């Protein structure tokens, strides 16, 4: 089921939670869930505030658990502030503000990487633009210098070349989103829900590319002057900082920036349609999707929270009404969801259902409407409302550990201040949540969801021809030096320079990461336990990891692991799938079953007051899956539909097609990366296959337990021993995985998978490296960062920032336990597909030739990796992941503490030799998913062997007989 994260992502301070630790019942099965009030009442994010003379509001939250500080700045400008003819300006400026300022020329990510920033990005939506990064405490001056420089000293660095280039990048961001299945629906929703011209939400955030192409440099500069002043911004500092230290630093860097223009307040009326509107769209999709949409009050309205609760009960819980009725009982849908997306001037209710293949879409739509109408009329039960509140409170507690990023404490404070003039607005929202009743939810739904609806249906079929817009033509300058000040309002009130901005502030000493001590123990039946204590939040995470994974799938039953793990959540011998879901919701726990290529994991996240009952549920799921026939057929349809979806998604098509080409069909890694298998293999899986996979692989002698939490080691071991220590395997163990299969010799060739009317081509290239995952790959990873492994890499900067052909590229060392492939990924605009392949090949050959790692690239890579370490393990889930990786890759448990010295010892020659010993530029296998008619001539110019799949054209030498018949996409 599709999920949508709930409104304000609230994170809490560790000092704010003071649960009275309950005495756990001697008989763990009798442990009752903690009252939701006990969770909600404890939420608190203490802060102090001050305001500069220029209007900049500053909020400071102190959290001393790690020597890091989150820097989050929010501007009260989004696409809602854009007038007709200037759509997309806010989003475009989000891009431009990453391209350097007057005193910090070049990409913003360069100095941030140097100081080891983590959780860094910027986003634009209807009501705001935000930028955030978490930095070492001793590098805070650098982050404040950079943020203040792009607030007060930007325009002298904005050139026509940068503007043209970023229009090209935004064009490809749009193409990348549009190219996805259902990727055009949001435009139609906006058009139908806001029919009156002039509503601030009546256009998409990415805007009109025609408007951007028509924008002049003066237009863009004026937009910045009008909207990005300090009086329209909120700065939040959260972490190892207090207001006494923060105030002089903020005054130093931001104090001289003059106040900007006041931003006109928006007060649009909430749109209500005169009558229902229904529309049908065609797209390359696996199954028909039915949408029902309304615009309802904004997030500050008292009706918002009950509407949110109602939609969560309807389609946001694992035990939701739509799931239970349409997916589990009637089986006429394969996926359903319902949620509310909150905005200031109106929120979007979205209800959707993916029709089960073969079902009558008209009848499913009619049934969906009946369920919605009945729910609006009769409302939820008290138990359903309580489960929503408990689940939400537990999710907020899980965010306790993160000070920044998308969902940390800085975000909670900033959103409250910007949207509601109250940094503690999250408390009001929680109070509304805790006080919600079936009656209040029903009343809100009757008031707002009985108005005329927008209904959209997306059916399988050919899209209309994609409307292209010329991309930006400029080349990125990046190193331009601009004046030390800019003129505002025609030259009046020039900025006076109070501090030295001629160079970045120095970075102080950054301590090495203090990774928690990992203790080990063994349960009575031999299961080894790895445990690390973390006291930041009253939660515990436990993962039961089995040496299985998709690589354990038999060659003729590919997809078996995914099928088995999905079935384990569908019922035990004592609980149905609905009961499992309801119990998790009552406990505020999350039990998930899944896996990757090498391991199959059952993971638990639980609040400590409910840990006993949560472990009971986890143990039941692990040891007693029912594998009921009725559930098997339902999950089979869902997995087959997922395969259909993959065959309409360009990235999935490519990632499923490449591994068999690299490893061969008989190698355990020679399967699609999704692990879902093929329609033929999934159709052939029987109940016995599922039972045997579970018994053969998910057994105590094949298991390891990893745990992190605010709990004493012995107390946790006692609980684990009670649930898993006496567990005995049943049946015969599965035979060991065979990684001795010969890997085909690499050869440079291109496989084109035809996807008509694709606005982008998805390029994937790979080769198998002469390494295992257990080898030491640190130096190679460092080398890859320079070539293609991060935003500042040569390939990404070339294709995205210089040429403007892609929204972003990435090279990955896909590390598993055994053979390691090197993968290059680049979604590019269709008309530059061949040149992009040539550019990537040119970058690789240049890197391996005379243009190896520079001293500046080495310094950036070393500094970034060393300085980011203190911020990498802020969250317990990151600690848990490191522990699992250390065991799989046979590293010491304190490995994280050893890497800083190893990075410092690296030389440019080390990095050059590592990459030269790993890849051969002439032996990459390329998979390109795109419109073969449009890219064929481009690719032929590369003089490489080309194989076409799913394509037949009159004027080509490639015939149907010569094409592969095991295409990852059907004939067009």
């Amino acid at each position: 089921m599709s999920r949508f994260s709930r409104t304000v992502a609230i994170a809490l301070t560790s000092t704010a939670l003071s649960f009275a630790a309950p005495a756990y019942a001697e008989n763990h099965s009798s442990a009752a869930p903690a009252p939701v009030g006990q969770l909600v009442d404890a939420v608190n994010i203490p802060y102090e505030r001050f305001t500069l003379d220029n209007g900049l509001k500053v909020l400071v939250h102190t959290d001393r658990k790690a020597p890091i500080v989150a820097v989050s700045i929010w501007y009260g400008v989004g696409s809602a502030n854009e007038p007709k003819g200037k759509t997309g300006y806010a989003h475009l400026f989000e891009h431009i503000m990453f391209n350097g300022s007057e005193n910090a020329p070049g990409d913003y990510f360069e100095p941030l990487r140097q100081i080891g920033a983590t959780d860094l990005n910027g986003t634009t939506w209807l009501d705001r633009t935000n930028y955030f990064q978490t930095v070492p405490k001793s590098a805070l001056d650098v982050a404040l210098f950079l943020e203040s420089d792009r607030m007060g000293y930007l325009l002298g660095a904005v050139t026509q070349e940068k503007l043209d280039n970023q229009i090209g990048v935004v064009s490809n961001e749009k193409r990348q989103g549009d190219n996805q299945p259902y990727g055009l629906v949001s435009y139609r929703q906006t058009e139908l829900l806001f029919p009156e011209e002039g509503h601030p939400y009546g256009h998409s955030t990415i805007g009109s590319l025609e408007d951007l192409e028509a924008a002049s440099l003066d237009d863009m500069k004026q937009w910045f002057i009008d909207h990005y002043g300090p009086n329209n911004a909120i700065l939040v500092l959260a972490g190892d900082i207090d207001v006494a230290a923060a105030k002089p630093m903020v005054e130093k860097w931001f104090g001289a920036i003059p106040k900007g223009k006041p931003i006109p307040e928006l007060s649009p009326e909430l749109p209500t349609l005169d009558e229902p509107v229904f529309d049908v769209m065609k797209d390359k999709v696996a199954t028909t999707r039915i949408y029902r949409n309304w615009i309802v009050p904004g997030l500050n309205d008292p009706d918002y929270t009950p509407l949110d609760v109602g939609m969560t009960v309807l389609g946001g819980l694992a035990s939701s009404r739509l799931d239970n009725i349409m997916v589990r009982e009637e089986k006429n849908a394969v996926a359903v969801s319902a949620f509310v997306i909150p905005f200031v001037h109106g929120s979007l209710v979205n209800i959707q259902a993916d029709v089960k293949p073969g079902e009558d879409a008209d009848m499913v739509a009619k049934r969906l409407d009946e369920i919605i109408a009945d729910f609006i009329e009769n409302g939820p039960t008290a138990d359903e409302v309580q489960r929503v509140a408990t689940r939400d409170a537990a999710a907020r507690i899980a965010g306790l550990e993160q000070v920044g990023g998308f969902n940390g404490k800085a975000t909670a404070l900033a959103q409250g201040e910007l949207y509601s003039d109250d940094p503690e607005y999250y408390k009001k929202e929680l109070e509304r949540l805790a006080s919600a009743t079936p009656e209040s939810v029903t009343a809100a739904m009757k008031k707002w969801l009985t108005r005329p609806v927008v209904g959209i249906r997306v059916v399988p079929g050919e899209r209309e021809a994609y409307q292209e817009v010329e991309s930006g033509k400029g080349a990125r300058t990046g190193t331009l030096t601009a004046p030390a000040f800019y003129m505002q309002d025609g030259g009046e009130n020039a900025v006076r320079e109070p501090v030295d901005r001629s160079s970045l502030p120095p970075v102080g000493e950054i301590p090495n990461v203090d990774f928690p001590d990992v203790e080990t123990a063994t349960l009575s039946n031999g299961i080894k336990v790895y445990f690390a204590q973390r006291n930041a939040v009253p939660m515990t995470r436990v993962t039961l990891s089995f040496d299985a994974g998709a690589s354990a799938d038999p060659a003729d039953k590919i997809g078996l692991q995914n099928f088995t793990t999905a079935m384990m959540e569908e019922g035990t011998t004592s609980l149905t799938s609905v009961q499992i879901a309801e119990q998790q919701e009552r406990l505020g726990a999350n039990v998930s079953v899944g896996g990757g290529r090498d391991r199959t994991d059952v993971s638990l996240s639980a609040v400590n007051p409910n840990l006993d009952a949560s472990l009971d549920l986890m143990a039941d799921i692990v040891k007693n899956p029912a594998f009921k026939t009725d559930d098997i057929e339902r999950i089979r349809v869902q997995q087959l539909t997922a395969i259909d979806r993959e065959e309409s998604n360009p990235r999935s098509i490519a990632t499923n097609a490449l591994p068999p080409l690299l490893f061969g069909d008989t190698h355990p890694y020679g399967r699609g990366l999704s692990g879902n298998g093929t329609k033929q293999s999934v159709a052939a899986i029987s109940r016995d296959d599922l039972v045997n996979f579970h018994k053969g692989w998910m057994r105590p002698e094949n298991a390891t337990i990893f745990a992190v939490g605010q709990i004493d080691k012995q107390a946790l071991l006692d609980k684990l021993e009670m649930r898993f220590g006496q567990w005995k395997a049943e049946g015969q163990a599965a035979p060991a995985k065979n990684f001795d299969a010969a890997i085909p010799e690499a050869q440079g060739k291109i496989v084109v998978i035809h996807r008509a009317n694709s606005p982008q081509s998805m390029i994937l290239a790979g080769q198998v490296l002469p390494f295992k995952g257990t080898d030491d790959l640190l130096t190679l990873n460092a080398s890859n960062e320079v070539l293609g492994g991060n935003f500042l890499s040569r390939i990404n900067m070339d294709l995205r920032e210089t040429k403007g052909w892609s929204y972003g590229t990435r090279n990955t060392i896909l590390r598993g336990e055994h053979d390691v492939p090197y993968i290059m990924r680049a979604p590019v605009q269709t008309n530059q597909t061949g040149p992009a392949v040539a550019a990537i090949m040119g970058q690789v050959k240049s890197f391996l030739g005379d243009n190896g790692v520079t001293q500046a690239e080495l310094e950036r890579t070393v500094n970034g990796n060393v300085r980011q370490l203190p911020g990498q393990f802020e969250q317990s889930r990151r600690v848990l992941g490191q522990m699992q990786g250390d065991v799989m890759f046979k590293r010491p448990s304190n490995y994280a503490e050893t890497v800083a010295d190893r990075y410092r010892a690296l030389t440019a020659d080390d990095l050059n030799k590592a990459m030269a010993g790993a890849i051969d530029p002439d032996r990459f296998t390329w998979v390109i998913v795109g419109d073969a008619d449009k890219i064929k001539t481009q690719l032929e110019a590369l003089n490489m062997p080309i194989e076409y799949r799913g394509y037949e054209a009159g004027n080509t030498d490639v015939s149907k007989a010569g094409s592969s018949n095991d295409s990852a996409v059907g004939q067009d």
Side-chain angles (χ1 to χ4, degrees):
M1 175 171 63
S2 173
R3 304 279 180 240
F4 187 84
S5 60
R6 291 170 56 78
T7 42
V8 184
I10 298 296
L12 322 169
T13 176
S14 57
T15 60
L17 282 164
S18 54
F19 290 118
Y24 289 106
E26 291 184 12
N27 178 2
H28 64 270
S29 62
S30 65
V36 66
Q38 184 180 354
L39 308 181
V40 170
D41 291 345
V43 177
N44 188 32
I45 309 173
Y47 72 95
E48 294 184 78
R49 68 181 304 156
F50 59 92
T51 303
L52 300 189
D53 291 342
N54 58 15
L56 178 66
K57 299 175 183 177
V58 185
L59 308 175
V60 181
H61 163 68
T62 302
D63 180 342
R64 302 289 189 187
K65 71 175 180 294
I68 56 175
V69 180
V71 180
S72 187
I73 191 160
W74 290 57
Y75 292 92
V77 56
S79 57
N81 301 93
E82 298 163 348
K84 183 179 180 181
K86 294 184 178 181
T87 65
Y89 276 31
H91 176 248
L92 181 62
F93 243 99
E94 175 215 312
H95 282 245
I96 289 173
M97 288 174 74
F98 276 113
N99 268 210
S101 52
E102 295 170 9
N103 303 294
D107 274 280
Y108 191 84
F109 286 109
E110 173 73 35
L112 286 179
R113 182 60 181 152
Q114 286 276 5
I115 64 174
T118 57
D119 290 330
L120 62 154
N121 211 327
T123 70
T124 308
W125 216 353
L126 302 185
D127 301 308
R128 55 98 180 119
T129 300
N130 66 343
Y131 301 91
F132 48 90
Q133 54 266 304
T134 300
V135 300
K137 176 183 180 180
S138 57
L140 179 57
D141 260 327
V142 177
L144 295 178
F145 170 96
L146 292 168
E147 286 289 6
S148 64
D149 214 63
R150 65 178 171 187
M151 176 188 286
Y153 308 86
L154 180 78
L155 291 187
V158 178
T159 65
Q160 188 66 48
E161 290 81 6
K162 285 185 179 180
L163 178 61
D164 288 342
N165 172 262
Q166 289 307 311
I167 290 173
V169 173
V170 169
S171 300
N172 279 296
E173 181 180 0
K174 182 178 188 299
R175 291 186 186 100
Q176 189 165 312
D178 293 353
N179 202 29
Q180 303 305 307
Y182 310 102
L184 302 178
V185 172
S186 62
Y187 303 123
R188 191 68 174 135
Q189 287 174 318
T190 298
E191 179 184 350
L192 297 177
L193 288 165
F194 299 97
E196 296 296 326
E197 186 173 328
H199 193 284
Y201 292 173
H203 60 273
S204 66
T205 297
I206 205 162
S208 161
L209 297 185
E210 288 81 0
D211 285 356
L212 297 182
E213 288 286 348
S216 70
L217 188 60
D218 287 342
D219 287 337
M220 297 308 299
K221 288 186 175 183
Q222 191 61 48
W223 171 262
F224 179 84
I225 291 170
D226 290 345
H227 295 93
Y228 293 85
N231 50 305
N232 193 38
I234 298 160
L235 172 65
V236 181
L237 303 178
D240 193 5
I241 186 77
D242 55 37
V243 74
K247 190 168 185 178
M249 297 175 77
V250 175
E251 286 274 10
K252 174 183 177 181
W253 295 115
F254 291 88
I257 301 173
K259 182 178 294 189
K261 295 181 178 181
I263 306 298
E265 289 192 12
L266 302 174
S267 55
E269 292 186 5
L270 197 72
T272 296
L273 304 179
D274 294 329
E275 58 184 6
V277 178
F278 294 94
D279 191 31
V280 177
M281 302 174 64
K282 291 183 178 180
D283 200 354
K284 286 190 171 183
V285 294
T287 184
T288 296
R289 178 172 292 172
I290 301 164
Y291 294 86
R292 296 292 183 260
N293 298 114
W294 290 267
I295 297 299
V296 297
L299 57 87
N300 291 306
D301 191 284
D303 280 343
Y304 168 75
T305 299
L307 286 168
D308 187 35
V309 172
M311 291 304 97
T312 305
V313 172
L314 179 64
L317 297 173
S319 65
S320 75
R321 295 286 185 95
L322 293 177
D323 266 297
N324 289 347
I325 297 171
M326 300 186 73
V327 178
R328 292 189 176 99
E329 296 173 11
E330 300 177 1
K331 302 181 182 65
N332 49 25
V334 292
V336 292
S337 66
F339 50 81
V340 188
I341 305 178
F343 299 110
V344 174
H345 304 293
S347 302
L348 170 67
V349 167
N350 188 89
I351 303 170
Q352 65 190 55
D354 288 359
V355 177
K356 178 182 175 181
E359 292 286 323
D360 184 327
D362 289 335
M363 295 301 296
V364 176
K366 181 174 180 291
R367 185 65 179 122
L368 175 64
D369 290 335
E370 289 172 350
I371 296 168
I372 294 171
D374 178 76
F375 185 61
I376 292 171
E377 177 64 27
N378 297 302
T381 66
D383 183 56
E384 287 172 323
V385 173
Q386 175 89 353
R387 298 203 312 266
V388 171
T390 303
R391 191 198 71 158
D392 192 61
R396 292 161 191 264
I397 292 171
L400 280 166
E401 299 165 298
Q402 190 175 18
V403 291
F406 283 104
N407 299 320
K409 291 178 277 190
T411 296
L413 295 173
Q415 285 186 147
E417 177 67 23
L418 181 63
Y419 297 156
S420 311
D421 296 321
D422 181 4
E424 293 188 324
Y425 183 76
Y426 65 88
K427 289 187 176 182
K428 294 179 182 176
E429 187 187 18
L430 283 170
E431 289 166 2
R432 289 174 181 170
L433 183 68
S435 62
T437 63
E439 292 76 21
S440 66
V441 172
T442 305
M445 291 195 299
K446 285 182 176 180
K447 181 177 179 181
W448 297 107
L449 303 187
T450 55
R451 295 148 62 234
V453 68
V454 165
I456 297 175
R457 186 182 304 186
V458 183
V459 300
E462 284 295 331
R463 285 182 174 181
E464 297 179 3
Y466 189 77
Q467 298 298 310
E468 269 291 359
V469 175
E470 184 180 10
S471 69
K473 299 172 283 294
R476 175 181 174 274
T477 53
T479 57
L480 290 175
T481 301
F485 60 90
Y486 72 88
M487 308 299 287
Q488 186 174 2
D489 294 335
E492 300 177 294
N493 298 323
V495 177
R496 292 178 296 171
E497 191 65 56
V499 294
D500 180 11
R501 289 183 178 267
S502 61
S503 61
L504 290 173
V507 177
E509 182 179 351
I510 296 175
N512 191 20
V513 62
D514 182 16
F515 194 79
D517 294 335
V518 178
E519 301 178 83
T520 61
T522 304
L523 302 185
S524 297
N525 58 356
I527 298 178
K528 192 162 186 178
V529 178
Y530 294 82
F531 169 71
Q533 189 172 58
R534 288 293 292 263
N535 293 319
V537 295
M539 295 191 72
T540 300
R541 295 180 184 271
V542 179
T543 294
L544 185 57
S545 184
F546 299 92
D547 185 356
S551 58
D553 286 347
D556 61 341
K557 299 289 173 66
I558 299 173
L560 180 56
Q561 179 209 220
N562 284 16
F563 203 156
T564 304
T565 55
M567 282 300 306
M568 290 175 66
E569 298 184 71
E570 291 301 318
T572 70
T573 52
S574 60
L575 296 173
T576 66
S577 60
V578 175
Q579 290 170 325
I580 289 174
E582 290 177 349
Q583 181 70 345
Q584 289 185 74
E585 292 152 9
R586 291 190 186 100
L587 296 170
N590 181 47
V591 181
S592 61
V593 191
R597 290 183 301 162
D598 298 299
R599 295 292 185 269
T600 302
D601 295 336
V602 182
S603 298
L604 167 69
S605 172
V607 291
N608 281 353
N610 295 337
L611 180 57
D612 275 308
S614 301
L615 282 169
D616 289 338
L617 181 62
M618 178 188 189
D620 194 28
I621 290 171
V622 169
K623 295 188 287 187
N624 306 309
F627 296 116
K628 294 178 181 177
T629 302
D630 193 46
D631 291 330
I632 289 172
E633 294 313 310
R634 175 167 52 83
I635 297 302
R636 189 193 311 276
V637 170
Q638 291 182 13
Q639 190 157 330
L640 290 170
T641 305
I643 294 170
D644 280 332
R645 289 196 194 102
E646 291 168 6
E647 292 179 352
S648 63
N649 183 296
R651 183 168 176 175
S652 296
I653 293 168
T655 57
N656 284 335
L658 184 60
L661 294 169
L662 298 182
F663 288 100
D665 293 332
T666 60
H667 192 283
Y669 286 171
R671 292 97 184 257
L673 291 183
S674 74
N676 277 330
T678 67
K679 293 178 183 178
Q680 293 78 14
S681 65
V682 172
I685 291 173
S686 67
R687 183 181 186 278
D688 286 345
D689 293 325
L690 298 166
V691 171
N692 291 335
F693 186 95
H694 175 260
K695 288 184 176 180
W697 291 103
M698 304 183 74
R699 45 199 297 126
E701 67 267 29
N702 201 36
T704 307
I705 293 177
F706 300 88
V708 178
Q710 190 190 78
I711 189 171
D712 176 74
K713 173 189 172 184
Q714 191 57 52
L716 178 63
L717 288 175
D718 290 345
K719 297 175 189 300
L720 295 175
E721 176 68 28
M722 185 182 300
R723 279 83 179 180
F724 299 107
Q726 306 305 312
W727 179 28
K728 296 180 180 179
E730 297 180 13
Q732 188 173 0
K737 293 175 278 187
N738 179 16
F739 282 90
D740 295 330
I743 296 174
E745 184 178 353
Q747 51 184 318
K749 70 173 184 178
I750 298 173
V751 175
V752 177
I753 301 176
H754 180 48
R755 188 174 185 270
N757 293 322
S758 291
Q760 276 192 329
S761 296
M762 173 58 69
I763 299 172
L764 219 63
Q767 62 180 271
V768 181
L769 303 179
F771 303 118
K772 306 292 185 185
T774 51
D775 291 330
D776 183 358
L777 301 180
L778 182 142
T779 306
L780 182 60
N781 271 305
S783 182
N784 182 54
E785 283 190 35
V786 177
L787 176 59
N790 65 23
F791 184 89
L792 294 169
S793 68
R794 293 185 184 183
I795 293 175
N796 185 69
M797 296 302 284
D798 184 26
L799 266 65
R800 173 182 163 126
E801 297 297 305
T802 299
K803 295 182 168 67
W805 295 346
S806 175
Y807 180 49
T809 73
R810 190 57 52 95
N811 292 13
T812 304
I813 298 167
L814 191 59
R815 190 172 195 169
E817 188 173 15
H818 299 278
D819 303 283
V820 177
Y822 184 75
I823 309 293
M824 303 191 295
R825 174 176 57 84
V828 301
Q829 61 194 64
T830 297
N831 64 357
Q832 299 295 345
T833 303
V837 172
I840 295 169
M841 293 174 66
Q843 288 287 350
V844 172
K845 290 182 177 181
S846 173
F847 187 86
L848 296 175
D850 297 331
N851 192 18
V853 176
T854 67
Q855 190 60 35
E857 288 170 330
L858 174 67
E859 180 181 312
R860 181 184 71 213
T861 302
V862 171
N863 284 343
N865 281 287
V866 170
R867 292 170 174 174
Q868 74 181 1
L869 284 167
Q872 279 194 315
F873 302 106
E874 184 187 11
Q875 297 170 277
S876 59
R877 63 179 180 83
R878 298 293 298 273
V879 174
L880 196 67
Q882 181 70 28
M883 291 164 59
Q884 291 179 261
D886 288 342
V887 172
M888 179 186 291
F889 301 132
K890 298 179 170 56
R891 302 183 301 219
S893 62
N894 68 337
Y895 176 79
E897 297 179 344
T898 70
V899 299
D901 286 341
R902 296 191 57 208
Y903 273 110
R904 292 189 186 101
L906 291 176
T907 66
D909 192 49
D910 291 335
L911 271 61
N912 293 335
K913 288 179 178 178
M915 190 61 72
I919 64 173
D920 182 338
D922 296 321
R923 292 187 175 273
F924 278 102
T925 297
W926 300 76
V927 172
I928 301 176
V929 181
D931 191 322
D933 286 316
K934 296 177 181 177
I935 65 178
K936 178 177 179 292
T937 302
Q938 301 174 46
L939 298 178
E940 287 175 345
L942 299 172
N943 294 317
M944 294 175 65
I946 304 175
E947 173 189 343
Y948 290 86
R949 298 184 178 185
Y951 175 67
E952 183 178 13
N955 298 318
T956 177
D957 294 331
V958 180
S959 67
K960 185 174 181 180
S963 300
S964 170
N965 61 6
D966 61 346
S967 170
V969 63
Q971 296 288 330
D972 291 294

